[in-house]
């Protein structure tokens, strides 16, 4: 009887062993944490010359808005950054004056801090995502993230309309980003973002670009203070001056 019970126990152990052993843990997602600086391909122009294309596929209505804005700020190319206001997406990601950014990665949220204007983006995963009706429109919008293998996919909506960006857009804009890690010719980490801007109110077709950063193991971010009201007040002054000139007798 003892031997029979022992054999049955051994058989049960063998049959149930796989159920008792924890399933293999899937490989962790890439850790993007750290300080990243703009990566310049050998022979490529410096960041100051990579702001944006001279020609974008604007709709007629968008072109009129952009032209009106550029006429308002004048030939000097006045900008939000000159008045301490952050660039907003996608320019905060594509350019930001060539300043570095810091990525802080947690399972439920990835935080990106751009040194320029101290702009902060929060990329929310499923457990942190709020309903669309509860999102507040902002220059950097609201970003939802998920992983597809080793690729981080980020969708940004709830954007404010901006004519003052290198990539102007309406509040209908959607920015889809796909981040992945690769290596430079020297074997150092490079972060690549393939992104697409879709906006039926401003563009006749999607605008797609790529941005790269190099990891800076010893890098730090420096303080950078900004104030949106200063820029808005300046724009209002420009509008008043333009209206006064139009009303003045010739």
């Amino acid at each position: 009887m003892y031997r029979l019970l022992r054999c049955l126990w051994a058989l049960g152990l063998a049959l149930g062993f796989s159920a008792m052993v924890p399933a293999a843990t899937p490989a962790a997602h890439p850790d993007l944490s750290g300080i990243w600086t703009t990566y310049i391909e050998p022979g490529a122009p410096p960041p100051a010359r990579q702001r944006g294309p001279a020609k974008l596929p604007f709709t007629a209505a968008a072109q009129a808005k952009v032209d009106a804005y550029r006429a308002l700020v004048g030939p000097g190319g006045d900008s939000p950054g000159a008045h301490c206001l952050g660039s907003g997406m996608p320019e905060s990601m594509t350019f930001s004056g060539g300043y570095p950014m810091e990525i802080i990665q947690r399972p439920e949220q990835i935080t990106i801090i751009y040194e320029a204007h101290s702009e902060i983006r929060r990329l929310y995963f499923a457990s942190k995502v709020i309903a669309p009706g509860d999102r507040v429109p902002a220059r950097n919008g609201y970003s939802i993230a998920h992983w597809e293998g080793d690729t981080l996919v980020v969708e940004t909506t709830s954007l404010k309309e901006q004519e003052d960006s290198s990539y102007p857009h309406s509040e209908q804009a959607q920015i889809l980003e796909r981040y992945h890690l690769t290596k430079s010719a020297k074997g150092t980490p490079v972060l690549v973002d393939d992104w697409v801007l879709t906006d039926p109110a401003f563009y006749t077709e999607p605008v797609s670009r790529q941005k790269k950063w190099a990891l800076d193991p010893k890098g730090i971010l420096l303080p950078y203070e900004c104030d949106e009201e200063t820029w808005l007040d300046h724009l209002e002054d420009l509008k008043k001056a333009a209206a006064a000139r139009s009303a003045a007798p010739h």
Side-chain angles (χ1 to χ4, degrees):
M1 177 62 72
Y2 171 78
R3 289 190 177 186
L4 177 60
L5 291 174
R6 187 172 179 81
C7 287
L8 291 174
W9 175 82
L11 178 61
L13 182 63
L15 292 175
F17 185 75
S18 61
M20 296 169 61
V21 176
T25 302
H29 297 299
D31 187 0
L32 309 182
S33 299
I35 303 293
W36 298 86
T37 60
T38 297
Y39 176 73
I40 304 175
E41 300 280 0
R49 296 170 57 191
Q50 298 177 348
R51 296 199 60 154
K55 185 69 175 176
L56 288 166
F58 289 127
T59 61
Q63 187 68 66
K65 286 186 175 183
V66 172
D67 289 346
Y69 163 75
R70 292 175 179 170
L72 178 66
V73 298
D78 208 351
S79 69
H83 299 266
C84 212
L85 176 62
S87 304
M89 280 290 287
E91 189 172 318
S92 57
M93 172 269 297
T94 61
F95 183 66
S96 285
Y99 290 90
M101 69 177 182
E102 180 177 12
I103 296 179
I104 303 170
Q105 183 169 331
R106 300 202 312 265
E108 77 283 5
Q109 176 181 312
I110 291 178
T111 302
I112 303 178
I113 305 171
Y114 302 102
E115 181 178 301
H117 311 290
S118 299
E119 287 190 88
I120 297 177
R121 291 182 66 201
R122 295 174 177 87
L123 317 182
Y124 298 108
F125 290 81
S127 62
K128 295 278 285 184
V129 174
I130 63 175
D134 295 332
R135 302 171 192 173
V136 178
R139 289 172 71 86
N140 275 327
Y142 186 90
S143 298
I144 299 173
H146 70 274
W147 290 96
E148 293 182 2
D150 287 344
T151 299
L152 176 66
V153 182
V154 182
E155 179 185 12
T156 299
T157 55
S158 299
L159 290 152
K160 287 184 175 180
E161 182 169 306
Q162 284 184 246
E163 288 83 30
D164 56 28
S165 170
S166 294
Y167 294 91
H169 57 73
S170 77
E171 60 185 13
Q172 299 180 40
Q174 177 198 62
I175 302 169
L176 185 65
E177 301 171 86
R178 299 180 65 87
Y179 291 85
H180 71 274
L181 286 173
T182 185
K183 292 185 180 296
S184 69
K186 296 181 179 180
T188 56
V190 174
L191 179 61
V192 181
D193 181 14
D194 294 298
W195 61 275
V196 180
L197 168 62
T198 304
D199 183 354
F202 261 55
Y203 295 100
T204 58
E205 61 186 49
V207 175
S208 59
R209 298 290 185 270
Q210 186 181 79
K211 170 73 178 185
K212 294 183 179 181
W213 298 266
L215 182 65
D216 184 354
K218 297 183 179 180
I220 61 171
L221 297 190
L222 299 176
Y224 198 120
E225 301 297 333
C226 295
D227 181 5
E228 182 172 5
E229 292 304 316
T230 301
W231 170 245
L232 296 178
D233 289 343
H234 176 67
L235 276 184
E236 190 62 32
D237 289 340
L238 289 177
K239 291 177 182 177
K240 291 178 179 178
R245 288 195 298 272
S246 298
H250 297 285

